[in-house]
Amino acid sequence: MDAVSVIRAKRDRAELTDKQIDWVIDAYTRGEVADEQMSALAMAILLNGMVPREISRWTEAMIRTGVRMDFSSLPLPTSDKHSTGGVGDKTTLPLAPLVAACGAAVPQLSGRGLGHTGGTLDKLESIPGWRAALSNDEMMTVLRDTGAVICAAGDGLAPADRKLYALRDVTGTVESIPLIASSIMSKKIAEGTGALVLDVKVGTGAFMKSLDQARELARTMVGLGTAAGVNTVALLTGMSVPLGLTAGNALEVRESVEVLAGGGPADLVELTVALAREMLAAAGVSGKDPETALKDGSAMDHWRRMITAQGGDVDAPLPVAREQHVVTAPATGVLTGLDAYAVGVAAWRLGAGRARKEDPVQAGAGVEIHAKPGAEVTAGQRLLTLHTDTPERFAYALEALEGGITVDAPGTPYTPEPLILDRIAV
Ligand code: URA
């Protein structure tokens, strides 16, 4: 077997054989297939696609490069959620303790932000003392004691994906349904969760810009999960407007705690409760309703225990950025557009995200939103507050917001897109 013949086959639109797939994934992980060869193959896959058999074999081959976790010793069924990434999407933070409060165990292996979408671990690290890196034993202890754990995936889980994802990120080969589906599902199947709810984001702030693309991605992932014995469903949710009223690490933690205290913005609460109900149903748990657990304080109790178990000080003040800049409404009328991608890039440029994996992030940086589309606004009224420790970034963030805010004449009708656009199950 050699890399060039595998690349040529996909370049010429042939289906890769099982043998070719198994070999190329294993050889790439061991360093025998070079990065430039794998990037050529990834580009051929992006351009020419894969049939379902190839996607499922590719996913299995990636799982086989690492360890598989096993939660069968836990007394509770496990349920996990994965979002394909959005702006202001902090749902994992309130969701994990909420689902734990309702009777399922939540092993949530999460990632860091890259580009304009935020990462769960970066957000939680703004809580003083909180640790993302846990050993397998520590992870099991937190999960057993508190019902939920959010931590970094260890190096041993689907190492082929770790290498391939980093390569795709710098070779323009992220936006491929076979490659995204196999990347996400190899990690989730290796993680060993019993049930999985996928939040497939659609819109300007998401990888999938159209509903048709998002449906295809969701169907592919639900098929892979189901075939591997994971009870998998997907919600397709809107991501053309940021979720909630904040984008940025500590800002999003603050808003998540508001949700756990029974408050928080309506869209964030709606999505959190909908995902929690799906996670519980997929795990076969019919305990407390998530809305009740947000109101009676039990979700907050689980949050406090989960964060404390990972070294976090739940009562410590969250970091606040040193400098603020207010963006005002350019005219009087109806705010009809607040583009998720523009806000995500602004938050990233303010220091909430990183351009390269090794860059540090600013805990307090980001964007606070004072008005969402549909609101009547007056010229000069506060729309956004930008936060950063490095004020030279304001101009760069404001540039990202150009064209991202639309105010139409007073009385212009505005019909919001439903937050939940579709549900895909087998
Ligand atoms: N998230 C992943 O883990 N992989 C992708 O390819 C895209 C989003």
Side-chain angles (χ1 to χ4, degrees), residues 283-302:
V285 174
S286 53
K288 191 183 279 188
D289 184 68
E291 264 179 18
T292 309
L294 288 177
K295 297 274 179 279
D296 69 9
S298 55
M300 180 67 98
D301 286 347
H302 279 77

Side-chain angles (χ1 to χ4, degrees), residues 82-353:
H82 184 88
S83 157
T84 55
V87 177
D89 181 14
K90 70 277 295 170
T91 42
T92 297
L93 277 61
L95 188 61
L98 172 60
V99 171
C102 297
V106 186
Q108 182 80 55
L109 298 183
S110 296
R112 296 185 184 281
L114 192 68
H116 75 282
T117 63
T120 298
L121 302 181
D122 294 329
K123 295 171 197 182
L124 285 169
E125 277 177 350
S126 62
I127 301 173
W130 187 85
R131 271 188 315 124
L134 301 184
S135 67
N136 280 0
D137 283 351
E138 284 176 314
M139 180 186 175
M140 284 303 266
T141 305
V142 179
L143 192 53
R144 213 180 276 278
D145 294 350
T146 76
V149 61
I150 304 177
C151 61
D155 286 349
L157 202 86
D161 178 63
R162 191 171 288 263
K163 227 178 142 181
L164 182 55
Y165 189 78
L167 185 74
R168 287 168 54 215
D169 195 44
V170 294
T171 55
T173 51
V174 171
E175 297 90 344
S176 149
I177 287 176
L179 294 178
I180 295 176
S182 55
S183 163
I184 291 174
M185 294 309 293
S186 61
K187 288 174 286 202
K188 291 291 149 181
I189 295 167
E191 173 199 284
T193 184
L196 175 66
V197 176
L198 298 160
D199 181 3
V200 180
K201 299 287 186 198
V202 193
T204 59
F207 284 129
M208 297 290 116
K209 309 291 180 203
S210 79
L211 202 51
D212 283 349
Q213 282 178 320
R215 258 194 208 108
E216 191 187 333
L217 176 62
R219 284 200 189 104
T220 307
M221 292 196 290
V222 168
L224 289 171
T226 307
V230 182
N231 194 5
T232 311
V233 296
L235 294 185
L236 267 52
T237 71
M239 187 30 75
S240 290
V241 173
L243 187 66
L245 296 173
T246 56
N249 302 311
L251 292 169
E252 294 193 42
V253 172
R254 192 195 69 203
E255 191 169 83
S256 303
V257 173
E258 284 168 17
V259 172
L260 288 160
D267 58 347
L268 177 58
V269 175
E270 180 190 340
L271 185 59
T272 304
V273 168
L275 289 168
R277 288 193 179 129
E278 291 286 355
M279 285 171 74
L280 292 164
V285 174
S286 53
K288 191 183 279 188
D289 184 68
E291 264 179 18
T292 309
L294 288 177
K295 297 274 179 279
D296 69 9
S298 55
M300 180 67 98
D301 286 347
H302 279 77
W303 162 262
R304 294 180 68 87
R305 283 173 25 214
M306 178 184 82
I307 296 298
T308 307
Q310 288 177 241
D313 181 349
V314 275
D315 296 313
L318 289 164
V320 176
R322 281 195 290 275
E323 307 279 341
Q324 279 78 32
H325 177 93
V326 172
V327 177
T328 56
T332 295
V334 179
L335 181 67
T336 51
L338 180 60
D339 184 63
Y341 183 70
V343 173
V345 174
W348 173 35
R349 290 183 176 180
L350 289 164

